[in-house]
Amino acid sequence: MFELLKMPIIITVQVDVTLAILTVLGIGSRLWGLWYPKAVVFDEVYYGQFVSLYVKQMFFIDDSGPPLGHMILALGAYLGGFDGNFAWNRIGAEYTGNVPVWNLRLFPALAGALCISLAYQIIIELKYSHTSALIAAFLIMFENSLITQSQFMLLESILIFFVLLAVLSYLKFYNMQRSSSFSLKWWSWLLLTGIACAFAIGIKYMGLFTYLLLLAIAGAHTWQLIGDTALSNITVLYHVLARVCALLVFPIILYLGFFYLHLTLLYRTGPHDQIMTSMFQANLEGGLARITQGQPLEIAYGSQITLRNAWSKPVPCWLHSHKSMYPIRYDGGRGSSHQQQVTCYPFKDVNNWWIIKDPSKQELVVSNPPRSVRHGDIVQLVHGMTARYLNTHDVAAPMSPHWQEISCYVDYNISMPAQNLWKVEIVNRETENEVWKTILSEVKLLHVNTSAVLKLSGSSLPNWGYCQLEIVGDKSSTVYHQNMAWNVEEHRYGKSEEQKDRELELQTPAQMDVSKNMSFMAKFLELQLKMLMLKNEETEHKYSSSPLEWINMDTNIAYWLHPSTNAQIHLIGNIATWSTATIGIVVYTAIFLWHLLRQRRRIHTIPKDSWEHLVLAGAICIGGWAVNYLPFFLMEKTLFLYHYLPGLTFKILLLPIVLEHLHNYIFRSTISRNTFSAVVLAWISSVYFVYKTFSPLTYGYPALSVSELTALRWKDSWDILIRKQ
C-alpha cells in the first residue's frame, strides 16, 4: 500500500489551443460593451415583460414558443437581483437603476460567443481541414447580424447555440460509431444530442425542424447499420434502442420537464388567467383560487352558480342575462321573440348568477341534505337577478339565423308558452350516474323540447345587445365542440327565497382543494393546446419582411436610436458573407450533381470517403438551411429578418466546405490553386472590411454624421435612420 502511495499521480490534459483561443475571442467579441445602450432595444420590450412575470412568479402564456427561452433570460435577471419592477412599454426607454442590464443580456451573449467554437468543431467533425474550420469560425465571429442579435435580451442566439450543439454532438457520436460503440463517450455524445435537440425546441418551435433533420439523418445511418452483417442481431437491436431512447424518449421527457418547471415557478395569478379554464385558474394562488376556496363541490337543486363557456373564443365569457329585451325586429326585418336577452359576458358580474331549480318543485333553496344534480337530470335555470327562466323557442337567433335564439322567458300572455326544461349531460363523466361538480365537470345543456344545445356562437351582438357575445341553441349539430361545453366556476348553496339575499348566501358543507384534482399532465396538455391555438392578430410592422427579402438581405431592422444623436443599432448583416453564402449553395448543388452524374457513369473523380463527407456536409448544411428557411413561406405570422439567422448560420457553414472542395478537386494545378487561394484571402479581407464598416450600426457607437450614415446605405431598400441636426 505504501509503495503505491509513493508512485506519482499523473494527470494528462489535452488542450486544443486553437479552440481555446477562438472561445476567448468569441466571448470577448460578444460581451464587449454588453451594458450599452442602457435602454430597451427592439424586442427586449417584449421579452422583458415575461422576465418580470417570472421574477414575480405570475402566470402568463406566450403563443410564440415554449417557456425554456424565457426561463433562461429570467435566470440572468435572477442572478442580477432584478425585482421585476420595470414598465416594458416602449422601445428606447431608459433602464432604471434596479434593472441589471448586463445580466439580462448575459446568456444570449454567451450563447452567441460559443457558436463560434461550435462552428469550428462542426467543420472538423465533418472531416474537413482546420483551415476550413477557421474560416467558418471567422465568418461567424464577424457576422454583424449575429453579433447584434446576441448582444441583447433576445432568443435567436440561444436557439442557434443549441441547434449547433445538437449537430456537433451527433457528428461526434457518429464518428465514434465504428471504434467506440457503447463507450462512455459514445453514450455521452448521443445523450447530449437528445438534450440539445430538446433545448432547441424548448427555446422556439423552429428548433423542431432541425431536430427532425437530425432524426432523418440518424434514421438513414441506422438503416445502414442494420444492413451491416458484421454485427449480430442483438447488437443491432441495442443500437436501435439506444437511439430511440436518446433521440426520442429523452427529449420528450425533457420537454415535459421544461413545462413542469414553468408551471412550478408561475404559481401566482397573472395577466393571462382568463385564457385558461376555470379548473386551471383554481390552481393558481390568488384570483379565482381565492374566490373558489371552500365552495361546495357537488351541484345541487337550489345551487347558485356562474357558468363559463369552455371554448373561451374570442374571449373567455360567462352565461349572462339582463333586463333588456331583444328588439322586436332584427336587422333585415326578421322578427324576434322580444324576450329577455341572454348573452355571454366577458367580465365578472352579478348578472352572471343562475339558480339550478327542480322543475317539480317551487323552492329555490338547497334542501337538507342537498339533492345533487346528476348526468341526465332535467333542470330549469333561473336568472338570479331577474328571476326569469332560461328558455328557447323555434325563433332564429339574432346574428346566426340558422340557429335558435336563447332568451329568458317573459310571459306576454300570448300563444308562446315557456319552454324552459334543460337536460344536463356531463361530457367528461366517468360513470352514467355521475354528479355534476364545481369546476371539474364540463356539461352540455340540451333543450328538452327542441333538442337544441346551448352554445356560444362567437359572434358579437349589435349595440342593442351591448356588443356582448351571442348565445344560440343548435339542434343540428351532431359533433361535440368546446363551444357547447360549460363549467361551473363560482358556486354557492342558496337557503333563502328572498332574492335580495341570494348573492350573499354561502354555505360550505364540503371543502374542495381543486389543485389536487388537476394533474401536471392535465395542466401541460391544456397549456400546450392554448399555446398552439392562441393566435395574435397578424399586424403590419414597419420592419416586417418576406422570406424572399432575406436571401440577399434586401431589408434591415432599426433596433435602437439614441434620443439626441445619430447613434443607432441595426440588424444588418455582413453583405459580403450573405451574398457569397448564397452563391455557395448554388456551387455546392452544381458540384453535387456533377459528381452524382459522373458516378452514375462509373467515373469516380473523387475518393469514396471524400464523396461521403461531401454528402453528409450537404445534408447537414443545406438541409439545416432549408428546414430553417422554407417553412416561413407557409407561416401566417409577422416575419422579421432575424427569423433567417438560424438558416443563415447553416449557409455560412457550407461556404468553407465548398471552398476546400474547389481547392482540392477542381483547381488541380499549382497556378490555379495559388490564384484561388489569393482570391479567397481577398474575399476574407472584404468580410472583415464590411464588418468594420458597419460596426457603428452593430454596436451603436460611435455616432456617425449624416454623410457617413448616408454612405452606409448600400441598398435602396435599407432604412438607415438620419436625424438632421
Side-chain angles (χ1 to χ4, degrees):
M1 175 180 175
F2 291 100
E3 292 297 325
L4 289 174
L5 292 176
K6 291 181 180 179
M7 297 175 61
I9 299 174
I10 301 174
I11 299 176
T12 303
V13 178
Q14 292 183 332
V15 178
D16 187 332
V17 177
T18 304
L19 182 61
I21 293 173
L22 285 174
T23 303
V24 172
L25 291 176
I27 292 174
S29 70
R30 275 14 180 205
L31 266 64
W32 178 262
L34 200 59
W35 56 269
Y36 180 84
K38 197 175 180 181
V40 179
V41 175
F42 200 62
D43 271 355
E44 286 187 336
V45 74
Y46 175 74
Y47 292 114
Q49 299 175 44
F50 300 133
V51 168
S52 288
L53 290 171
Y54 266 117
V55 171
K56 296 179 179 180
Q57 297 188 284
M58 297 171 65
F59 176 77
F60 70 88
I61 181 171
D62 177 25
D63 66 322
S64 68
L68 179 60
H70 302 320
M71 287 193 286
I72 291 174
L73 297 179
L75 176 60
Y78 172 77
L79 295 176
F82 183 41
D83 58 10
N85 294 318
F86 182 77
W88 306 91
N89 52 14
R90 67 179 178 88
I91 298 172
E94 290 291 322
Y95 283 124
T96 53
N98 67 309
V99 182
V101 181
W102 195 87
N103 293 82
L104 288 173
R105 296 170 177 171
L106 175 62
F107 287 115
L110 284 175
L114 294 175
C115 285
I116 298 168
S117 304
L118 292 175
Y120 172 83
Q121 293 179 85
I122 286 172
I123 301 301
I124 296 296
E125 293 299 323
L126 285 169
K127 304 303 181 183
Y128 287 87
S129 67
H130 286 268
T131 301
S132 296
L134 282 171
I135 292 175
F138 176 88
L139 295 176
I140 298 294
M141 182 178 295
F142 295 108
E143 172 49 48
N144 299 67
S145 60
L146 294 179
I147 295 172
T148 300
Q149 200 68 16
S150 66
Q151 286 200 312
F152 303 107
M153 188 175 52
L154 307 171
L155 293 181
E156 275 65 34
S157 63
I158 303 177
L159 171 64
I160 294 170
F161 167 76
F162 284 113
V163 163
L164 294 184
L165 180 61
V167 171
L168 175 63
S169 301
Y170 180 77
L171 290 174
K172 283 184 172 291
F173 157 76
Y174 175 69
N175 290 332
M176 297 179 67
Q177 181 62 48
R178 294 186 180 278
S179 60
S180 305
S181 292
F182 301 107
S183 65
L184 179 60
K185 284 188 176 181
W186 185 90
W187 275 110
S188 299
W189 289 117
L190 178 59
L191 289 173
L192 186 56
T193 304
I195 292 171
C197 287
F199 274 62
I201 299 170
I203 301 293
K204 284 196 168 187
Y205 288 128
M206 279 305 298
L208 175 65
F209 296 108
T210 303
Y211 172 58
L212 294 176
L213 173 67
L214 286 178
L215 280 183
I217 293 172
H221 289 160
T222 305
W223 186 251
Q224 293 174 357
L225 186 143
I226 291 173
D228 188 350
T229 56
L231 299 176
S232 66
N233 292 341
I234 193 67
T235 302
V236 171
L237 178 61
Y238 287 156
H239 276 286
V240 172
L241 290 177
R243 287 159 174 78
V244 168
C245 291
L247 301 181
L248 288 175
V249 178
F250 198 39
I252 292 174
I253 294 173
L254 283 175
Y255 185 75
L256 291 173
F258 302 150
F259 278 87
Y260 183 85
L261 182 58
H262 173 73
L263 292 169
T264 301
L265 290 173
L266 305 184
Y267 65 90
R268 295 190 177 115
T269 182
H272 300 154
D273 293 5
Q274 299 298 322
I275 298 174
M276 311 306 291
T277 64
S278 302
M279 188 173 176
F280 191 102
Q281 292 181 56
N283 284 263
L284 299 174
E285 182 182 291
L288 183 62
R290 185 174 63 249
I291 296 171
T292 59
Q293 184 177 6
Q295 289 187 156
L297 175 59
E298 297 184 354
I299 308 299
Y301 292 106
S303 287
Q304 301 169 357
I305 64 172
T306 63
L307 285 166
R308 172 176 158 147
N309 190 266
W311 196 31
S312 297
K313 286 191 176 182
V315 291
C317 62
W318 291 261
L319 189 66
H320 175 95
S321 187
H322 40 245
K323 293 182 178 180
S324 299
M325 307 298 169
Y326 287 112
I328 296 176
R329 293 196 176 275
Y330 297 131
D331 294 342
R334 290 187 296 108
S336 80
S337 66
H338 197 47
Q339 301 282 315
Q340 183 172 299
Q341 296 175 19
V342 173
T343 65
C344 207
Y345 190 52
F347 301 99
K348 303 279 188 181
D349 188 85
V350 70
N351 281 312
N352 297 345
W353 285 92
W354 300 80
I355 302 171
I356 303 297
K357 180 181 176 298
D358 184 345
S360 64
K361 298 181 181 295
Q362 293 301 316
E363 291 82 10
L364 294 177
V365 296
V366 175
S367 61
N368 188 16
R371 291 189 301 120
S372 299
V373 180
R374 299 179 181 273
H375 170 73
D377 285 354
I378 306 298
V379 302
Q380 292 172 313
L381 281 86
V382 183
H383 186 241
M385 295 301 293
T386 62
R388 291 191 171 125
Y389 290 63
L390 186 70
N391 185 83
T392 185
H393 289 96
D394 193 10
V395 176
M399 309 307 296
S400 310
H402 49 292
W403 291 323
Q404 287 182 190
E405 173 195 272
I406 300 294
S407 63
C408 277
Y409 183 72
V410 180
D411 188 0
Y412 290 117
N413 198 24
I414 58 176
S415 58
M416 185 182 282
Q419 296 182 358
N420 51 32
L421 299 179
W422 299 86
K423 182 180 180 182
V424 176
E425 293 188 356
I426 301 176
V427 178
N428 58 342
R429 65 186 181 276
E430 296 180 357
T431 66
E432 290 303 310
N433 197 35
E434 184 159 324
V435 174
W436 185 4
K437 297 183 180 69
T438 305
I439 294 181
L440 304 177
S441 298
E442 288 191 355
V443 302
K444 280 199 310 182
L445 294 172
L446 184 67
H447 190 239
V448 173
N449 297 82
T450 64
S451 298
V453 177
L454 186 76
K455 77 174 190 179
L456 172 67
S457 75
S459 300
S460 295
L461 296 171
N463 289 335
W464 55 256
Y466 309 102
C467 299
Q468 295 173 17
L469 298 175
E470 181 189 41
I471 294 294
V472 298
D474 182 2
K475 61 181 180 181
S476 61
S477 177
T478 57
V479 180
Y480 167 74
H481 190 276
Q482 270 200 312
N483 61 359
M484 302 176 179
W486 303 84
N487 71 276
V488 173
E489 190 170 87
E490 295 178 68
H491 179 204
R492 300 165 180 159
Y493 276 174
K495 61 180 181 179
S496 174
E497 292 284 359
E498 295 297 325
Q499 186 171 327
K500 63 181 181 179
D501 297 329
R502 287 174 185 160
E503 289 76 30
L504 302 176
E505 294 174 336
L506 182 60
Q507 182 181 350
T508 56
Q511 294 290 323
M512 177 186 61
D513 186 357
V514 179
S515 63
K516 294 181 180 178
N517 294 301
M518 193 172 192
S519 65
F520 160 69
M521 283 305 298
K523 295 179 189 176
F524 163 75
L525 291 173
E526 178 179 338
L527 180 57
Q528 182 69 87
L529 186 63
K530 294 289 185 184
M531 291 172 64
L532 294 175
M533 293 180 63
L534 184 66
K535 297 295 180 185
N536 289 327
E537 293 184 8
E538 186 176 353
T539 56
E540 286 296 323
H541 190 282
K542 180 179 180 180
Y543 292 106
S544 62
S545 54
S546 71
L548 289 175
E549 296 177 279
W550 303 343
I551 293 287
N552 294 314
M553 204 173 61
D554 294 327
T555 182
N556 70 302
I557 305 175
Y559 271 12
W560 172 79
L561 175 65
H562 193 278
S564 59
T565 72
N566 272 323
Q568 53 194 281
I569 295 174
H570 285 254
L571 182 68
I572 192 166
N574 190 314
I575 196 168
T577 303
W578 285 54
S579 302
T580 316
T582 302
I583 296 172
I585 289 181
V586 176
V587 173
Y588 176 90
T589 304
I591 291 172
F592 176 80
L593 293 175
W594 170 251
H595 287 307
L596 192 65
L597 288 171
R598 289 176 69 83
Q599 288 191 23
R600 187 65 178 169
R601 298 293 299 169
R602 310 293 188 201
I603 304 172
H604 300 283
T605 52
I606 60 174
K608 181 181 178 181
D609 287 348
S610 297
W611 168 248
E612 291 176 352
H613 298 160
L614 185 69
V615 171
L616 181 58
I620 293 289
C621 298
I622 291 188
W625 169 77
V627 300
N628 284 284
Y629 173 58
L630 298 180
F632 286 108
F633 285 95
L634 305 176
M635 294 184 184
E636 296 181 358
K637 60 181 289 187
T638 306
L639 300 176
F640 296 93
L641 182 62
Y642 59 73
H643 286 122
Y644 187 57
L645 296 183
L648 171 72
T649 303
F650 281 101
K651 198 163 68 165
I652 290 174
L653 292 179
L654 184 67
L655 256 178
I657 292 169
V658 171
L659 294 176
E660 181 171 333
H661 188 87
L662 291 174
H663 180 272
N664 292 345
Y665 299 109
I666 304 300
F667 300 105
R668 296 182 179 272
S669 67
T670 303
I671 295 177
S672 61
R673 284 183 174 177
N674 290 339
T675 304
F676 179 72
S677 298
V679 171
V680 170
L681 185 60
W683 166 72
I684 291 174
S685 301
S686 72
V687 169
Y688 183 75
F689 170 76
V690 173
Y691 157 75
K692 286 296 292 182
T693 301
F694 284 90
S695 60
L697 300 185
T698 300
Y699 297 102
Y701 55 86
L704 301 180
S705 65
V706 173
S707 59
E708 289 172 325
L709 287 171
T710 304
L712 289 180
R713 194 181 179 191
W714 288 11
K715 288 192 174 187
D716 293 336
S717 56
W718 290 356
D719 185 16
I720 307 297
L721 305 177
I722 297 177
R723 177 183 280 111
K724 295 182 179 179
Q725 298 175 340

